[in-house]
Amino acid sequence: MLVLIALALFFLAALVTYNPLDPGWSYTGPRNGIDNAAGVVGAWIADVLFSLFGYLAYLLPVMIAYSGFLVMRGVRKDADGDEIDYRVLGLRWLGFFVTLASGCALTSLHFVIPPDTLPIDGGGILGQWLGDGLAGVLGLLGSTLILLAALLAGITLFSGLSWFRVIDLVGAFGYTVYAWA
């Protein structure tokens, strides 16, 4: 768990301190110093992740840290906690990739970012490829609806969130506010 948390923090530091002028995968211009707090490796990692996934690259450190938590506490096969249940961990990672892919496509379709902030656009290469491909076949509305459904399904698989529980909590909160008012 500690190794995964340290890796997640390293990725987060690399992403937060990203500078498009640092030498990396998409830019090799002359540069004397590197502004990335994670050094040369961090500059390359941030550049690759932002190129591939856009703003949703920030989900990668979250998933790595969450995997550490799942390995430590949440996905054990037996009551003694001796063996990791790789099926549950694999299901969480599948949900993460579905969330990442659909989120990248939605971001690429619907958000415009200022120039020179990211190498490609808000959804990265994956978002452009998936979003443009679906929009060409289903149109903007159809692709948005399909991608939103995939995003919600991915969040459910990723986190184990029950949408019925969310609806119950929102209803209980609304009723409490109404009773208080």
Side-chain angles (χ1 to χ4, degrees), residues 77-137:
K77 277 188 181 177
D78 53 8
D80 298 333
D82 291 337
E83 197 172 332
I84 297 170
D85 190 353
Y86 290 106
R87 289 181 299 164
V88 173
L89 194 60
L91 193 63
R92 298 292 187 233
W93 273 95
L94 174 69
F96 169 71
F97 287 123
V98 169
T99 301
L100 182 68
S102 57
C104 286
L106 284 168
T107 304
S108 184
L109 285 175
H110 293 286
F111 296 108
V112 178
I113 63 166
D116 297 330
T117 54
L118 290 180
I120 307 289
D121 76 350
I125 295 169
L126 177 65
Q128 277 188 343
W129 174 73
L130 188 59
D132 292 347
L134 280 175
V137 174

Side-chain angles (χ1 to χ4, degrees), residues 10-105:
F10 177 78
F11 278 9
L12 184 64
L15 291 170
V16 168
T17 59
Y18 170 74
N19 185 346
L21 298 178
D22 281 344
W25 184 50
S26 67
Y27 181 75
T28 59
R31 182 74 189 219
N32 293 335
I34 294 178
D35 292 334
N36 197 303
V40 176
V41 173
W44 269 82
I45 287 173
D47 197 26
V48 167
L49 290 178
F50 279 135
S51 293
L52 292 176
F53 308 122
Y55 284 123
L56 274 89
Y58 286 109
L59 281 180
L60 190 62
V62 171
M63 185 56 194
I64 292 171
Y66 186 61
S67 294
F69 171 75
L70 288 175
V71 167
M72 184 67 178
R73 299 216 183 239
V75 292
R76 301 293 180 175
K77 277 188 181 177
D78 53 8
D80 298 333
D82 291 337
E83 197 172 332
I84 297 170
D85 190 353
Y86 290 106
R87 289 181 299 164
V88 173
L89 194 60
L91 193 63
R92 298 292 187 233
W93 273 95
L94 174 69
F96 169 71
F97 287 123
V98 169
T99 301
L100 182 68
S102 57
C104 286

Side-chain angles (χ1 to χ4, degrees), residues 160-173:
L161 177 72
S162 168
W163 292 105
F164 290 118
R165 179 78 178 133
V166 171
I167 292 169
D168 286 343
L169 289 173
V170 168
F173 177 74

